[in-house]
């Protein structure tokens, strides 16, 4: 038994964002993702730098005892990054501060907004893939119509222009 042309089954709903029908959703996304990453990197590094300065001064005041807190900087930085990405992508705008400044938002392949676990997993998978497969991650984005990077494909997410989405596409369905 075959399905009629254009029909989809309930198990596999169609992609919400089609690069052939709505190319404006994906125009300039990769370039703006790079700048959004740099902005987010700045946002993430400011509290870490302030913590390092505080620990350094605290170490001077305590005659070196406070410097023992430096071991907390690396784990705290990782936790801070995961919470930042999870809360930002899981928030109302489904985007980090850098993404919002670059007019981008993260959506699932079927059009739903992001949530905390997706945002946190997105960040972890991004850092893992960029650490081991740096050129491959970016090449994948150039070779597909939705401009998805390797971690986007694994997680089933897509990055789109948020102002264009509000003009072009209907609201995402909550469930199928």
């Amino acid at each position: 038994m075959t399905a009629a042309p254009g029909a989809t089954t309930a198990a596999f709903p169609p992609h919400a964002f089609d690069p052939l029908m709505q190319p404006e959703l994906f125009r300039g996304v990769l370039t703006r993702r790079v700048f959004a990453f740099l902005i987010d990197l700045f946002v993430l590094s400011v509290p870490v730098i302030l913590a390092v300065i505080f620990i350094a001064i605290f170490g001077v005041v305590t005659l070196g005892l406070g410097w023992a807190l430096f071991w907390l900087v690396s784990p705290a930085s990782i936790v801070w990054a995961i919470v930042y990405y999870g809360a930002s992508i899981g928030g109302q705008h489904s985007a980090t501060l850098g993404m919002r400044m670059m007019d981008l938002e993260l959506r699932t392949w079927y059009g739903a907004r992001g949530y905390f676990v997706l945002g946190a997993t997105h960040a972890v998978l991004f850092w893992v893939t960029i650490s081991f497969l740096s050129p491959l991650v970016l090449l994948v984005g150039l070779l597909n119509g939705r401009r998805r990077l390797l971690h986007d494909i694994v997680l089933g997410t897509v990055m789109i222009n948020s102002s264009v989405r509000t003009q072009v596409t209907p609201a995402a369905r909550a469930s199928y």
Side-chain angles (χ1 to χ4, degrees):
M1 179 177 189
T2 60
T8 59
T9 63
F12 298 105
H15 281 272
F17 308 108
D18 185 10
L20 297 175
M21 300 296 288
Q22 303 162 323
E24 59 277 355
L25 286 173
F26 304 99
R27 194 167 289 129
V29 165
L30 284 180
T31 304
R32 287 191 277 152
R33 280 185 86 163
V34 170
F35 288 110
F37 168 73
L38 294 175
I39 293 167
D40 288 332
L41 195 60
F42 177 77
V43 169
L44 288 169
S45 63
V46 167
V48 173
I49 291 169
L50 291 175
V52 167
I53 291 170
F54 172 78
I55 292 171
I57 293 171
F58 185 64
V60 170
V61 171
T62 61
L63 301 175
L65 292 175
W67 293 333
L69 295 174
F70 273 124
W71 75 272
L72 290 173
V73 173
S74 292
S77 299
I78 293 169
V79 169
W80 161 235
I82 290 172
V83 169
Y84 171 75
Y85 277 99
S88 298
I89 291 175
Q92 175 183 354
H93 300 287
S94 195
T96 63
L97 186 61
M99 290 176 196
R100 286 192 300 185
M101 291 177 77
M102 292 289 111
D103 196 32
L104 297 171
E105 69 180 287
L106 183 124
R107 293 291 177 145
T108 61
W109 65 272
Y110 53 87
R113 292 185 358 197
Y115 45 92
F116 184 87
V117 174
L118 179 65
T121 308
H122 194 267
V124 169
L125 201 55
F126 168 74
W127 288 104
V128 167
T129 57
I130 204 74
S131 297
F132 295 112
L133 307 168
S134 196
L136 179 64
V137 172
L138 299 175
L139 281 176
V140 169
L142 294 172
L143 300 175
N144 65 69
R146 289 185 178 87
R147 302 297 181 232
R148 296 166 73 187
L149 299 182
L150 191 58
H151 59 286
D152 294 326
I153 294 169
V154 169
L155 290 174
T157 59
V158 63
M159 194 73 65
I160 59 171
N161 295 322
S162 59
S163 62
V164 174
R165 183 198 54 82
T166 57
Q167 299 167 4
V168 174
T169 59
R173 290 173 271 181
S175 64
Y176 284 100

